[in-house]
């Protein structure tokens, strides 16, 4: 185990934290009681760390490419449940340069990547604050000075900066939240002597003690009998830091609860717990004599408060962001603005979502805008009135699709769709909202992307807590989703339908044709920017200069193993003649193989290919 902070330690920490949050996600979701009892704090923290981890992995993949494919020390085995970047990710994200390179990436590169990945992938209040905590640490660990920041003293300084910067990012901080837990961790670390392992353990123990005290600081937590959800997540992340430097994960501790409340933790299911928490959250606040506070460190609104959560990334100058804070503070609550150096992540709860976005436009360039409407049963909207309840249908399919054309195709087949634009994968909250829109007792979820497996699993778990029976079919491409949807029969038993759809998806091999963004190593050799790449099952199999010729080579490889049906999904940038050419090729060379062609629209790839 490393005793000093370096890039490999950062990489290992991200992997251990991702694993820890994966194990604790349901438990943390279950104790997310306020301001909206939508049970997503654990999921949001997991997705935020997942984005940070992917960014760090990209740094190591880039360094491996520079080193001629030799993996740096502390490789992917340090990460639990994550594969090394495949050929596709290496092609689209890394540059190859000849020459001698160091044994591993620099610490500054790794911590900057971790902080940036968390910033752009932050979900919800808790994820946004965690992103700022990691940014504060990066500011110390990557500082350009003569002082060393790789030992215990450097870690102490980093934890202090993290806690202080996170508190400054929350417009109205209160105690009894993740901010309190972070400050306690920094305080405990400041009094610790020794190496990074000793400092990390002191921070962890200080955070645990502070977490146990949070119900006594926030009335809403005391009433529900739980600790702060965001603080619980931070304890898991700090436990991963201990494991990084000592090789031993701290013993898992039950979440502290108050006397008279059912135990929360491994011995109690999240689904049953939600019923109790829902009742607690919707109790009148009048007897408390005060308005509660949010579990993320911001004051809680009164019942019937803001109806929308608005999140976006913002490119803007510091002065413009200062004005933006004032304007958004007047519009709503739960305001957290994190980031710096021209890139910010903005989170706020408002009634006028349009005004919140317009404020961002005035400040700079907002993008990746996500607007979530809190459900009618959420704490924000309790007592806001009632409307007739629509009868649930028996079964529905919810699918993620990469382009408008496929969205129309899936919708015609009866599916509820979530559009995934290039570079903007949907969050778990968007998938949960789609399940709610489907308004069905039973839902089949098709993620249609290997990178969405964790997001889709988190969404499925959340939907199940709301009483929906959800089956997740691990489709890795939209063409597999098409195959599954083709055999979908709502009239048969749910289990039988899921088995048939899973079988159809699994029997469909998939490929895509796209343009290389930059020079890189691939499974098929070195490619140059502008080359046409044919990827089969996610790995680069063909490198060419002509789209049609490359697509034909890919199709021939796929049909060499047999097939009965070829599905072609054309992107907007695909040549007009490619479909006719490939159809002709199939007719001439492969007897009894049918071809079907769809228009996918702006789907990222030039062409998607499926062979059943």
């Amino acid at each position: 185990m490393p005793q000093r902070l370096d890039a490999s330690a950062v990489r290992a920490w991200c992997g251990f934290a991702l694993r820890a949050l994966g194990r604790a996600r349901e438990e943390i979701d279950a104790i997310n009681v306020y301001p909206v009892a939508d049970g997503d704090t654990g999921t949001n923290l997991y997705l935020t760390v997942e984005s940070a981890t992917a960014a760090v992995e990209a740094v190591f993949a880039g360094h491996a490419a520079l080193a001629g494919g030799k993996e740096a020390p502390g490789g992917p085995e340090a990460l639990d449940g994550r594969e090394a970047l495949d050929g596709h990710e290496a092609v689209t994200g890394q540059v190859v340069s000849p020459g001698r390179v160091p044994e591993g990436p620099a610490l500054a590169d790794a911590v900057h990547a971790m902080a940036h990945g968390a910033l752009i992938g932050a979900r919800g209040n808790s994820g946004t604050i965690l992103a700022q905590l990691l940014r504060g640490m990066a500011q110390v660990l990557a500082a350009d000075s003569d002082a060393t920041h790789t030992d215990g003293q450097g870690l102490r300084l980093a934890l202090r900066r993290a806690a202080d910067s996170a508190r400054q990012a929350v417009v109205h901080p209160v105690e009894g939240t993740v901010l309190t837990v972070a400050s306690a961790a920094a305080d405990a670390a400041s009094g610790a002597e020794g190496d990074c392992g000793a400092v990390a353990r002191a921070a962890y123990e200080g955070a645990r003690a502070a977490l146990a005290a949070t119900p006594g600081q926030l009335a809403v937590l005391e009433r529900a009998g739980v600790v702060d959800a965001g603080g619980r997540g931070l304890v898991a992340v700090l436990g991963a830091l201990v494991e990084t430097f000592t090789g031993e994960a701290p013993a898992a501790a039950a979440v502290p609860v108050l006397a008279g409340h059912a135990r929360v933790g491994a011995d109690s299911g999240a689904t049953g717990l939600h019923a109790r928490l829902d009742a607690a959250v919707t109790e009148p606040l009048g007897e408390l004599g005060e308005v509660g506070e949010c579990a993320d460190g911001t004051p809680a609104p009164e019942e019937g408060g803001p109806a929308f959560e608005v999140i976006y990334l913002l490119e803007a100058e510091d002065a413009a962001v200062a004005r933006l804070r004032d304007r958004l503070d007047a519009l709503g609550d739960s305001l957290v603005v994190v980031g710096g150096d021209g890139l910010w992540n903005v989170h706020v709860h408002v009634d006028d979502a349009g005004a919140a976005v317009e404020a961002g436009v005035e400040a700079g360039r907002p993008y990746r805008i996500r607007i979530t409407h809190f459900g009618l049963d959420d704490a924000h909207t309790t007592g806001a009135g009632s409307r007739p309840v629509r009868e649930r249908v028996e079964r529905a399919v919810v699918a993620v699709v990469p382009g408008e054309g496929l969205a129309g195709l899936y919708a015609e087949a009866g599916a509820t769709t979530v559009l995934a634009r290039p570079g903007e994968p949907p969050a778990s909250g968007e998938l949960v909202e789609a399940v709610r829109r489907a308004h069905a007792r039973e839902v089949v979820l098709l993620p249609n992307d290997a990178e969405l497996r964790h997001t889709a699993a988190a969404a499925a778990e959340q939907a199940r807590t709301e009483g929906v029976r959800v089956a997740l079919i691990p489709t890795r491409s939209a063409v597999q989703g098409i195959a599954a949807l083709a055999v979908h029969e709502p009239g048969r038993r749910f289990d039988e339908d899921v088995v048939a759809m899973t079988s159809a998806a699994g029997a469909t091999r998939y490929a895509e044709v796209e343009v290389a963004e930059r020079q890189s190593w691939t499974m098929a050799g070195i490619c140059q920017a502008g080359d046409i790449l044919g990827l089969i099952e996610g790995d680069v199999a063909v490198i060419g200069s002509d789209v049609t010729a490359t697509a034909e080579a890919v199709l021939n490889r796929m049909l060499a193993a047999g097939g009965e049906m070829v599905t072609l999904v054309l992107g907007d940038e695909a040549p007009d003649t490619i479909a006719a050419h490939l159809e002709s090729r199939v007719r001439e060379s492969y007897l009894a193989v049918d071809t079907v062609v769809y228009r996918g629209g702006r789907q990222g790839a030039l062409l998607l290919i499926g062979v059943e």
Side-chain angles (χ1 to χ4, degrees), residues 127-423:
T128 305
I129 292 174
L130 178 60
Q132 188 67 8
L133 287 167
L134 296 180
R135 176 179 171 80
M137 294 187 70
Q139 288 173 335
V140 170
L141 299 177
D144 185 13
S145 69
D146 295 333
T148 178
H149 298 295
T150 61
D151 56 7
Q153 173 63 11
L155 184 56
R156 284 193 290 270
L157 294 174
L159 290 169
R160 180 79 273 161
R161 176 72 66 85
D164 292 345
S165 62
R167 188 171 290 272
Q168 292 166 7
V170 177
V171 176
H172 298 292
V174 296
E175 298 308 320
T177 66
V178 63
L179 299 178
T180 303
V181 175
S183 294
D187 292 343
S190 66
E193 299 293 338
D195 59 15
C196 290
V199 173
R201 188 172 295 280
Y204 171 76
E205 294 297 341
R208 280 189 61 195
L211 177 67
T214 55
Q217 296 170 293
L218 286 179
V220 65
L221 299 178
E222 184 176 22
R223 187 177 63 210
V226 297
V227 295
D228 176 68
R232 173 66 181 89
L234 180 58
V235 168
V237 172
L238 291 173
L241 188 63
V242 174
E243 185 174 6
T244 298
F245 291 113
T246 68
E248 298 179 358
V255 176
V257 293
L258 305 181
H261 290 276
R263 181 179 178 272
V264 182
D267 296 339
S268 62
T271 302
L273 178 64
H274 266 287
R276 182 170 62 81
L277 296 184
D278 288 344
V281 169
T282 54
E283 288 175 3
L285 293 175
E287 65 186 59
L288 301 176
E290 60 181 3
V291 176
E293 293 88 357
C294 303
D296 68 340
T298 59
E302 296 177 4
E303 289 192 66
F308 296 95
E309 178 186 56
V310 179
I311 305 174
Y312 50 79
L313 292 178
L314 177 70
E315 293 179 356
E317 300 297 326
D318 291 6
V321 171
R323 293 191 295 271
L324 175 66
R325 288 176 188 266
D326 292 338
R327 181 167 179 187
L328 292 180
D329 190 27
L331 285 175
D333 56 52
S334 296
L335 174 59
V336 185
V337 182
V338 304
D341 301 321
L343 181 62
W344 309 81
N345 190 306
V346 178
H347 174 283
V348 67
H349 293 175
V350 293
D351 277 324
D352 191 343
V357 175
E358 288 173 6
V361 172
E362 292 180 4
R365 186 179 79 87
Y367 60 102
R368 293 195 185 181
I369 301 168
R370 302 181 187 277
I371 300 174
T372 303
H373 183 266
F374 296 124
L376 287 178
D377 294 330
D378 289 338
H380 266 121
T381 54
T382 301
S386 60
R387 61 187 181 191
V389 178
R390 178 165 58 97
E391 182 66 23
R392 287 182 180 270
V393 298
E394 186 62 29
R395 189 176 307 159
V397 175
V398 172
V400 180
V401 291
E404 294 86 348
L406 280 180
L409 173 68
Y410 273 74
E412 288 177 7
T416 298
T417 62
V418 178
L419 188 62
R421 297 177 176 83

Side-chain angles (χ1 to χ4, degrees), residues 598-610:
Y598 301 111
R599 290 282 176 180
R602 293 173 293 176
Q603 62 185 21
L606 298 172
L607 176 68
L608 302 178
I609 303 174

Side-chain angles (χ1 to χ4, degrees), residues 425-440:
S428 62
E430 293 176 74
L431 300 187
V432 173
E433 182 58 31
V435 171
R436 291 168 179 159
R437 289 202 315 270
H439 205 62

Side-chain angles (χ1 to χ4, degrees), residues 410 477-484 508-511 567 569 608-610 612:
Y410 273 74
S477 171
V479 292
Q480 289 187 323
I482 292 173
T508 302
R509 299 187 299 281
Y510 65 94
T567 301
V569 183
L608 302 178
I609 303 174
E612 300 177 46

Side-chain angles (χ1 to χ4, degrees), residues 503-549:
S503 178
T508 302
R509 299 187 299 281
Y510 65 94
E512 58 186 83
V513 177
E514 59 183 43
V515 180
E517 294 183 0
R518 57 193 69 183
Q519 184 188 56
S520 181
W521 292 96
T522 77
M523 296 287 289
I526 299 177
C527 72
Q528 305 295 326
D531 281 349
I532 307 302
L533 306 176
L535 295 94
I536 300 177
E537 306 281 326
D539 290 325
V540 177
V542 180
I543 301 174
S545 58
D546 179 76
V547 176
T548 301

